Amino acid sequence: MTKILFFLSFQMIVSQNLVKNPSFEDFDKCPWKISMFNKNVDYWSCPNHGSTDFFRACGNTKETKDNYNGEQTPFSGDAYAGIYCYAEDDYREYVQGELHEKLIANETYTIRFYISLAEKSTYSIKNIALLFTGERIGVSTKSASILNSPKGSYQKFGNLSKKFINPETLNTQNDILQNDALIPFYNDTNEWMLVSFIYQAKGYEQFFTIGNFKSNQETDINQEKPEFIHPFAYYYIDAISIEAIKNTYKTDTIYTFQNVLFEFDKAILLDESVEELDELYSYLEHNNLKVEIYGHTDAIGMQTHNEKLSEERAKAVTDYLIKSGLEFNRIQWFGFGSSKPKVENNSEENRGLNRRVEFKFMKL
């Protein structure tokens, strides 16, 4: 099953996906057994000695669905991968991908991929991360790399095993992206869940690895089964994208959020709002500006209630940005209720346009 949570939105120009074979559609042999990811899926590999799985329908079976840890249909195309992100004795599996070109220093990129927890998993976790490196780590693939070239050496990554990869021990430049403190547990076994990051590149990034880079002791876990023999968290992964984004914001211009959503008649942000707010925070993080947040409602209901609700929603957006790291003195919020409609409140469609949250950048 698939649920698209939200899209890139306001004033964002998105370039092409830089990930080679982003949904694992190109491969050598159709997977007739488990552990057929490494050296089989084009431009992908396993960076440690774990045995990542590759799922795709073969032969007369036309739908990729059932597998040994549950069932799921691909988010995109006909294939997906499966990795153990938590298991006994710190066992881990990862997917390592390659970019068409290195990231450009100081450019901002959006990173997105989709995961789904396998039904038989006894735990869910929140420590799914992405690690950028300048070279391929671990064992070789059928694509050229420093490890299977004449000058390559296995000794550089000889400390890797089947256990978790600790980025601090890698003998290569790397940066890790993770949102552990700001997200709930990834525990949906039916729908695909979006994992997203905003990242300012340093210019060396050519490869990336996705998985859990923490030990069992450090991993945040949530028990999903009341009884079990072996503790594990197994995730399907699909549709990986890394795209450059260009912001075209102007100061003293009001913009409307497209996907900042709330529970009905409440000021509680829905999960769908996170990516757009992260984009806004990333822009503020790299620009010397302040921002004002404006909340608005339609004309249904009492005026005093609408004013309070609009102010609380603007404050909820403000609180999220401050929690993300924005300084208090760079943001203000205001609630206008129904006093500043964009259009007349004479239809449900128009009232939907009037229920909105806006923002405006200003110079410090």
PDB file of all heavy atoms in Angstrom, residues 20-39:
ATOM      1  N   LYS A  20      21.576   7.109  -8.823  1.00  0.00           N
ATOM      2  CA  LYS A  20      21.553   6.111  -9.892  1.00  0.00           C
ATOM      3  C   LYS A  20      20.638   4.950  -9.497  1.00  0.00           C
ATOM      4  O   LYS A  20      20.696   4.468  -8.369  1.00  0.00           O
ATOM      5  CB  LYS A  20      22.969   5.580 -10.159  1.00  0.00           C
ATOM      6  CG  LYS A  20      23.925   6.605 -10.759  1.00  0.00           C
ATOM      7  CD  LYS A  20      25.274   5.965 -11.063  1.00  0.00           C
ATOM      8  CE  LYS A  20      26.237   6.950 -11.731  1.00  0.00           C
ATOM      9  NZ  LYS A  20      27.537   6.326 -12.061  1.00  0.00           N
ATOM     10  N   ASN A  21      19.787   4.527 -10.417  1.00  0.00           N
ATOM     11  CA  ASN A  21      18.891   3.388 -10.182  1.00  0.00           C
ATOM     12  C   ASN A  21      18.133   3.549  -8.854  1.00  0.00           C
ATOM     13  O   ASN A  21      18.225   2.704  -7.962  1.00  0.00           O
ATOM     14  CB  ASN A  21      19.703   2.087 -10.166  1.00  0.00           C
ATOM     15  CG  ASN A  21      18.841   0.842 -10.291  1.00  0.00           C
ATOM     16  OD1 ASN A  21      17.684   0.903 -10.687  1.00  0.00           O
ATOM     17  ND2 ASN A  21      19.415  -0.291  -9.921  1.00  0.00           N
ATOM     18  N   PRO A  22      17.367   4.630  -8.706  1.00  0.00           N
ATOM     19  CA  PRO A  22      16.810   5.005  -7.400  1.00  0.00           C
ATOM     20  C   PRO A  22      15.764   4.057  -6.820  1.00  0.00           C
ATOM     21  O   PRO A  22      15.532   4.063  -5.614  1.00  0.00           O
ATOM     22  CB  PRO A  22      16.191   6.378  -7.669  1.00  0.00           C
ATOM     23  CG  PRO A  22      15.906   6.392  -9.132  1.00  0.00           C
ATOM     24  CD  PRO A  22      17.004   5.600  -9.760  1.00  0.00           C
ATOM     25  N   SER A  23      15.135   3.228  -7.648  1.00  0.00           N
ATOM     26  CA  SER A  23      14.127   2.287  -7.138  1.00  0.00           C
ATOM     27  C   SER A  23      14.493   0.839  -7.432  1.00  0.00           C
ATOM     28  O   SER A  23      13.619  -0.035  -7.473  1.00  0.00           O
ATOM     29  CB  SER A  23      12.750   2.611  -7.735  1.00  0.00           C
ATOM     30  OG  SER A  23      12.278   3.858  -7.261  1.00  0.00           O
ATOM     31  N   PHE A  24      15.788   0.582  -7.669  1.00  0.00           N
ATOM     32  CA  PHE A  24      16.317  -0.781  -7.823  1.00  0.00           C
ATOM     33  C   PHE A  24      15.719  -1.526  -9.020  1.00  0.00           C
ATOM     34  O   PHE A  24      15.584  -2.753  -8.994  1.00  0.00           O
ATOM     35  CB  PHE A  24      16.075  -1.594  -6.541  1.00  0.00           C
ATOM     36  CG  PHE A  24      16.337  -0.851  -5.268  1.00  0.00           C
ATOM     37  CD1 PHE A  24      15.314  -0.617  -4.353  1.00  0.00           C
ATOM     38  CD2 PHE A  24      17.594  -0.356  -4.969  1.00  0.00           C
ATOM     39  CE1 PHE A  24      15.543   0.075  -3.178  1.00  0.00           C
ATOM     40  CE2 PHE A  24      17.835   0.344  -3.791  1.00  0.00           C
ATOM     41  CZ  PHE A  24      16.801   0.561  -2.889  1.00  0.00           C
ATOM     42  N   GLU A  25      15.360  -0.793 -10.053  1.00  0.00           N
ATOM     43  CA  GLU A  25      14.724  -1.419 -11.205  1.00  0.00           C
ATOM     44  C   GLU A  25      15.716  -2.114 -12.135  1.00  0.00           C
ATOM     45  O   GLU A  25      15.343  -3.006 -12.898  1.00  0.00           O
ATOM     46  CB  GLU A  25      13.926  -0.372 -11.989  1.00  0.00           C
ATOM     47  CG  GLU A  25      12.805   0.286 -11.193  1.00  0.00           C
ATOM     48  CD  GLU A  25      11.798  -0.705 -10.654  1.00  0.00           C
ATOM     49  OE1 GLU A  25      11.382  -1.605 -11.415  1.00  0.00           O
ATOM     50  OE2 GLU A  25      11.444  -0.609  -9.463  1.00  0.00           O
ATOM     51  N   ASP A  26      16.987  -1.697 -12.112  1.00  0.00           N
ATOM     52  CA  ASP A  26      18.007  -2.289 -12.973  1.00  0.00           C
ATOM     53  C   ASP A  26      18.852  -3.268 -12.169  1.00  0.00           C
ATOM     54  O   ASP A  26      19.442  -2.898 -11.142  1.00  0.00           O
ATOM     55  CB  ASP A  26      18.889  -1.185 -13.573  1.00  0.00           C
ATOM     56  CG  ASP A  26      18.090  -0.213 -14.421  1.00  0.00           C
ATOM     57  OD1 ASP A  26      17.150  -0.652 -15.102  1.00  0.00           O
ATOM     58  OD2 ASP A  26      18.405   1.002 -14.377  1.00  0.00           O
ATOM     59  N   PHE A  27      18.939  -4.494 -12.648  1.00  0.00           N
ATOM     60  CA  PHE A  27      19.631  -5.545 -11.892  1.00  0.00           C
ATOM     61  C   PHE A  27      20.096  -6.624 -12.848  1.00  0.00           C
ATOM     62  O   PHE A  27      19.737  -6.645 -14.041  1.00  0.00           O
ATOM     63  CB  PHE A  27      18.704  -6.138 -10.830  1.00  0.00           C
ATOM     64  CG  PHE A  27      17.411  -6.678 -11.392  1.00  0.00           C
ATOM     65  CD1 PHE A  27      17.299  -8.006 -11.770  1.00  0.00           C
ATOM     66  CD2 PHE A  27      16.323  -5.844 -11.574  1.00  0.00           C
ATOM     67  CE1 PHE A  27      16.121  -8.503 -12.311  1.00  0.00           C
ATOM     68  CE2 PHE A  27      15.140  -6.323 -12.108  1.00  0.00           C
ATOM     69  CZ  PHE A  27      15.038  -7.654 -12.483  1.00  0.00           C
ATOM     70  N   ASP A  28      20.877  -7.561 -12.331  1.00  0.00           N
ATOM     71  CA  ASP A  28      21.426  -8.645 -13.146  1.00  0.00           C
ATOM     72  C   ASP A  28      20.502  -9.853 -13.139  1.00  0.00           C
ATOM     73  O   ASP A  28      19.986 -10.273 -14.169  1.00  0.00           O
ATOM     74  CB  ASP A  28      22.820  -9.018 -12.624  1.00  0.00           C
ATOM     75  CG  ASP A  28      23.506 -10.047 -13.518  1.00  0.00           C
ATOM     76  OD1 ASP A  28      23.033 -10.258 -14.649  1.00  0.00           O
ATOM     77  OD2 ASP A  28      24.510 -10.629 -13.080  1.00  0.00           O
ATOM     78  N   LYS A  29      20.265 -10.404 -11.955  1.00  0.00           N
ATOM     79  CA  LYS A  29      19.442 -11.608 -11.836  1.00  0.00           C
ATOM     80  C   LYS A  29      18.205 -11.331 -10.981  1.00  0.00           C
ATOM     81  O   LYS A  29      18.299 -10.687  -9.945  1.00  0.00           O
ATOM     82  CB  LYS A  29      20.252 -12.745 -11.202  1.00  0.00           C
ATOM     83  CG  LYS A  29      21.448 -13.186 -12.032  1.00  0.00           C
ATOM     84  CD  LYS A  29      22.213 -14.292 -11.316  1.00  0.00           C
ATOM     85  CE  LYS A  29      23.438 -14.723 -12.141  1.00  0.00           C
ATOM     86  NZ  LYS A  29      24.214 -15.775 -11.444  1.00  0.00           N
ATOM     87  N   CYS A  30      17.071 -11.827 -11.443  1.00  0.00           N
ATOM     88  CA  CYS A  30      15.844 -11.684 -10.657  1.00  0.00           C
ATOM     89  C   CYS A  30      15.995 -12.483  -9.358  1.00  0.00           C
ATOM     90  O   CYS A  30      16.484 -13.624  -9.374  1.00  0.00           O
ATOM     91  CB  CYS A  30      14.654 -12.205 -11.454  1.00  0.00           C
ATOM     92  SG  CYS A  30      13.080 -11.531 -10.890  1.00  0.00           S
ATOM     93  N   PRO A  31      15.649 -11.915  -8.208  1.00  0.00           N
ATOM     94  CA  PRO A  31      15.919 -12.575  -6.920  1.00  0.00           C
ATOM     95  C   PRO A  31      15.053 -13.818  -6.698  1.00  0.00           C
ATOM     96  O   PRO A  31      13.849 -13.718  -6.485  1.00  0.00           O
ATOM     97  CB  PRO A  31      15.599 -11.473  -5.896  1.00  0.00           C
ATOM     98  CG  PRO A  31      14.604 -10.606  -6.585  1.00  0.00           C
ATOM     99  CD  PRO A  31      14.992 -10.596  -8.027  1.00  0.00           C
ATOM    100  N   TRP A  32      15.682 -14.970  -6.739  1.00  0.00           N
ATOM    101  CA  TRP A  32      14.962 -16.221  -6.498  1.00  0.00           C
ATOM    102  C   TRP A  32      15.209 -16.741  -5.077  1.00  0.00           C
ATOM    103  O   TRP A  32      14.646 -17.755  -4.662  1.00  0.00           O
ATOM    104  CB  TRP A  32      15.389 -17.279  -7.508  1.00  0.00           C
ATOM    105  CG  TRP A  32      16.877 -17.505  -7.583  1.00  0.00           C
ATOM    106  CD1 TRP A  32      17.773 -16.827  -8.338  1.00  0.00           C
ATOM    107  CD2 TRP A  32      17.623 -18.485  -6.847  1.00  0.00           C
ATOM    108  NE1 TRP A  32      19.053 -17.298  -8.128  1.00  0.00           N
ATOM    109  CE2 TRP A  32      18.989 -18.330  -7.220  1.00  0.00           C
ATOM    110  CE3 TRP A  32      17.288 -19.465  -5.923  1.00  0.00           C
ATOM    111  CZ2 TRP A  32      19.992 -19.120  -6.696  1.00  0.00           C
ATOM    112  CZ3 TRP A  32      18.282 -20.268  -5.396  1.00  0.00           C
ATOM    113  CH2 TRP A  32      19.620 -20.093  -5.784  1.00  0.00           C
ATOM    114  N   LYS A  33      16.058 -16.013  -4.330  1.00  0.00           N
ATOM    115  CA  LYS A  33      16.308 -16.346  -2.934  1.00  0.00           C
ATOM    116  C   LYS A  33      16.620 -15.043  -2.203  1.00  0.00           C
ATOM    117  O   LYS A  33      16.745 -13.978  -2.811  1.00  0.00           O
ATOM    118  CB  LYS A  33      17.469 -17.322  -2.797  1.00  0.00           C
ATOM    119  CG  LYS A  33      18.791 -16.765  -3.304  1.00  0.00           C
ATOM    120  CD  LYS A  33      19.927 -17.765  -3.102  1.00  0.00           C
ATOM    121  CE  LYS A  33      21.247 -17.169  -3.602  1.00  0.00           C
ATOM    122  NZ  LYS A  33      22.381 -18.117  -3.374  1.00  0.00           N
ATOM    123  N   ILE A  34      16.758 -15.113  -0.886  1.00  0.00           N
ATOM    124  CA  ILE A  34      17.067 -13.919  -0.110  1.00  0.00           C
ATOM    125  C   ILE A  34      18.527 -13.517  -0.315  1.00  0.00           C
ATOM    126  O   ILE A  34      19.316 -14.285  -0.883  1.00  0.00           O
ATOM    127  CB  ILE A  34      16.777 -14.134   1.398  1.00  0.00           C
ATOM    128  CG1 ILE A  34      17.656 -15.251   1.965  1.00  0.00           C
ATOM    129  CG2 ILE A  34      15.305 -14.435   1.618  1.00  0.00           C
ATOM    130  CD1 ILE A  34      17.513 -15.414   3.474  1.00  0.00           C
ATOM    131  N   SER A  35      18.870 -12.342   0.107  1.00  0.00           N
ATOM    132  CA  SER A  35      20.256 -11.842   0.098  1.00  0.00           C
ATOM    133  C   SER A  35      20.824 -11.701  -1.308  1.00  0.00           C
ATOM    134  O   SER A  35      22.007 -11.991  -1.522  1.00  0.00           O
ATOM    135  CB  SER A  35      21.168 -12.747   0.941  1.00  0.00           C
ATOM    136  OG  SER A  35      20.623 -12.946   2.224  1.00  0.00           O
ATOM    137  N   MET A  36      20.028 -11.208  -2.249  1.00  0.00           N
ATOM    138  CA  MET A  36      20.528 -11.048  -3.617  1.00  0.00           C
ATOM    139  C   MET A  36      20.633  -9.576  -4.005  1.00  0.00           C
ATOM    140  O   MET A  36      20.440  -9.216  -5.166  1.00  0.00           O
ATOM    141  CB  MET A  36      19.624 -11.789  -4.611  1.00  0.00           C
ATOM    142  CG  MET A  36      19.757 -13.294  -4.531  1.00  0.00           C
ATOM    143  SD  MET A  36      18.884 -14.149  -5.888  1.00  0.00           S
ATOM    144  CE  MET A  36      19.804 -13.590  -7.324  1.00  0.00           C
ATOM    145  N   PHE A  37      20.976  -8.723  -3.051  1.00  0.00           N
ATOM    146  CA  PHE A  37      21.101  -7.291  -3.324  1.00  0.00           C
ATOM    147  C   PHE A  37      22.515  -6.936  -3.775  1.00  0.00           C
ATOM    148  O   PHE A  37      22.721  -6.357  -4.840  1.00  0.00           O
ATOM    149  CB  PHE A  37      20.728  -6.496  -2.067  1.00  0.00           C
ATOM    150  CG  PHE A  37      20.708  -5.016  -2.272  1.00  0.00           C
ATOM    151  CD1 PHE A  37      19.581  -4.390  -2.772  1.00  0.00           C
ATOM    152  CD2 PHE A  37      21.805  -4.233  -1.944  1.00  0.00           C
ATOM    153  CE1 PHE A  37      19.547  -3.013  -2.959  1.00  0.00           C
ATOM    154  CE2 PHE A  37      21.797  -2.862  -2.127  1.00  0.00           C
ATOM    155  CZ  PHE A  37      20.658  -2.248  -2.631  1.00  0.00           C
ATOM    156  N   ASN A  38      23.498  -7.317  -2.968  1.00  0.00           N
ATOM    157  CA  ASN A  38      24.888  -6.943  -3.245  1.00  0.00           C
ATOM    158  C   ASN A  38      25.393  -7.611  -4.523  1.00  0.00           C
ATOM    159  O   ASN A  38      25.110  -8.784  -4.779  1.00  0.00           O
ATOM    160  CB  ASN A  38      25.768  -7.341  -2.067  1.00  0.00           C
ATOM    161  CG  ASN A  38      27.114  -6.657  -2.094  1.00  0.00           C
ATOM    162  OD1 ASN A  38      27.219  -5.473  -2.375  1.00  0.00           O
ATOM    163  ND2 ASN A  38      28.171  -7.414  -1.789  1.00  0.00           N
ATOM    164  N   LYS A  39      26.110  -6.850  -5.351  1.00  0.00           N
ATOM    165  CA  LYS A  39      26.688  -7.318  -6.611  1.00  0.00           C
ATOM    166  C   LYS A  39      25.630  -7.763  -7.617  1.00  0.00           C
ATOM    167  O   LYS A  39      25.943  -8.464  -8.589  1.00  0.00           O
ATOM    168  CB  LYS A  39      27.673  -8.471  -6.370  1.00  0.00           C
ATOM    169  CG  LYS A  39      28.840  -8.101  -5.479  1.00  0.00           C
ATOM    170  CD  LYS A  39      29.818  -9.259  -5.344  1.00  0.00           C
ATOM    171  CE  LYS A  39      30.973  -8.905  -4.432  1.00  0.00           C
ATOM    172  NZ  LYS A  39      31.952 -10.007  -4.297  1.00  0.00           N
TER     173      LYS A  39
END
